[in-house]
Amino acid sequence: MRLFISGILLLSAQCANAANNCDIRAIVQHAWPEAKPTAEGTMITPGNQVIDITGTSPQSAICRVWPAHPELTLAAVPLMSQEKIDYAHNGDLELLVLNSVTLEVKQRLHLPERMSDDAIRITGIALDTARWKVAPNQTAFGLHITRSGSSRVNPIGEDALSLYVIENNQLRLILEGIALTANSGEWDGNCAGEFNDTKRILAIDASSHKGYADIRVSEKSVKSIASVDAKGECTAKDTLGKANWTLRYDGKQYIVPQQLASLE
């Protein structure tokens, strides 16, 4: 028994060490052993896609130990095309679940075109390891993708969340692209115009459908209309809004209403 406990403590210590040293370079080398390093600090896969491990761009690979399962580490790895088309990017995204100690890849999911963008650019990706307890024996993890438009007079941006689970030893999408924050506007570049700002909070509900908990969505929004008044000053009138939804699992995914969907 003492030996068993010592083994558990050793594994915990190893996992804790892995958590403090999430090495994306080592992860990429384990997952793509034939990838070649470049002078720019990136890696080139056998399929001629670029993996940025510098951490200096929105297309950089990221990793994080999963607090709900510290023996596992999560990684999100953009696989970008080497071809440059104006300011657009073309690329896929690969999600990995790895052993936190050995970095053995346990599950992986390839998401074609997930990192492609154009005028509305991807500005960042982030792993979400909040306790998304979607079923009694199932905890999901999330991926945030933030986007922002380049137009000054027609600003637009969002933070979209997708959720994934490990089921039957496979990594699987269960909620795709709900916009947690969304902002947009149209104005003359000086004063007059209309702006919309929306924030949403998700919470796991006590009710469930087809084995997965319902997800409550609480929304707060502000619609602002700006104009030049009689004194020549720019003034704005705000209209506040609230709304609530319940997302239900249909046996494959949570159904996301169109008005909550992301720009993807």
Side-chain angles (χ1 to χ4, degrees):
M1 176 62 74
R2 181 176 298 174
L3 181 60
F4 175 76
I5 293 174
S6 297
I8 293 295
L9 292 174
L10 177 60
L11 178 60
S12 298
Q14 289 174 319
C15 287
N17 184 62
N20 294 329
N21 298 279
C22 184
D23 188 342
I24 192 62
R25 177 184 293 274
I27 287 172
V28 169
Q29 289 175 338
H30 273 77
W32 288 271
E34 297 180 359
K36 305 296 184 183
T38 70
E40 292 78 22
T42 61
M43 306 284 284
I44 304 295
T45 72
N48 290 320
Q49 289 180 299
V50 179
I51 301 177
D52 186 342
I53 54 176
T54 65
T56 59
S57 80
Q59 291 77 35
S60 292
I62 58 174
C63 61
R64 188 171 186 176
V65 171
W66 195 356
H69 301 283
E71 72 279 9
L72 300 176
T73 291
L74 309 172
V77 182
L79 299 164
M80 306 306 297
S81 171
Q82 296 188 62
E83 183 181 2
K84 304 295 184 182
I85 305 175
D86 296 328
Y87 295 102
H89 301 91
N90 291 310
D92 306 332
L93 183 68
E94 193 129 337
L95 295 180
L96 307 174
V97 181
L98 311 100
N99 181 298
S100 293
V101 177
T102 66
L103 298 186
E104 172 195 0
V105 178
K106 302 181 73 65
Q107 289 88 24
R108 65 198 307 166
L109 180 64
H110 189 79
L111 303 172
E113 299 295 322
R114 189 54 59 92
M115 293 301 295
S116 295
D117 62 15
D118 44 36
I120 303 176
R121 299 182 188 178
I122 292 175
T123 55
I125 60 174
L127 291 160
D128 187 328
T129 55
R131 284 193 174 271
W132 296 103
K133 193 74 172 177
V134 293
N137 298 310
Q138 185 64 273
T139 301
F141 70 88
L143 177 74
H144 291 263
I145 298 181
T146 55
R147 290 177 170 81
S148 180
S150 56
S151 172
R152 176 172 175 267
V153 293
N154 294 105
I156 189 169
E158 71 168 17
D159 173 11
L161 172 69
S162 297
L163 294 178
Y164 301 85
V165 296
I166 300 170
E167 189 175 271
N168 298 323
N169 202 34
Q170 300 289 322
L171 191 54
R172 188 171 71 82
L173 173 73
I174 60 167
L175 188 153
E176 182 168 15
I178 183 170
L180 296 185
T181 64
N183 58 78
S184 61
E186 182 176 358
W187 67 311
D188 62 5
N190 182 35
C191 173
E194 180 179 310
F195 301 89
N196 296 280
D197 189 7
T198 301
K199 292 180 172 60
R200 302 183 178 107
I201 296 176
L202 273 56
I204 301 297
D205 198 68
S207 60
S208 64
H209 285 80
K210 298 186 183 297
Y212 275 64
D214 295 344
I215 298 177
R216 300 192 312 275
V217 182
S218 302
E219 175 185 291
K220 291 184 178 181
S221 62
V222 180
K223 180 178 181 179
S224 182
I225 297 178
S227 60
V228 178
D229 64 15
K231 297 180 180 179
E233 297 178 351
C234 187
T235 61
K237 180 181 179 180
D238 293 345
T239 302
L240 306 183
K242 289 185 178 181
N244 296 282
W245 287 268
T246 298
L247 309 183
R248 295 184 173 89
Y249 186 72
D250 69 355
K252 294 182 179 180
Q253 292 188 21
Y254 285 92
I255 303 302
V256 178
Q258 183 60 40
Q259 59 266 48
L260 306 184
S262 70
L263 298 168
E264 295 178 31

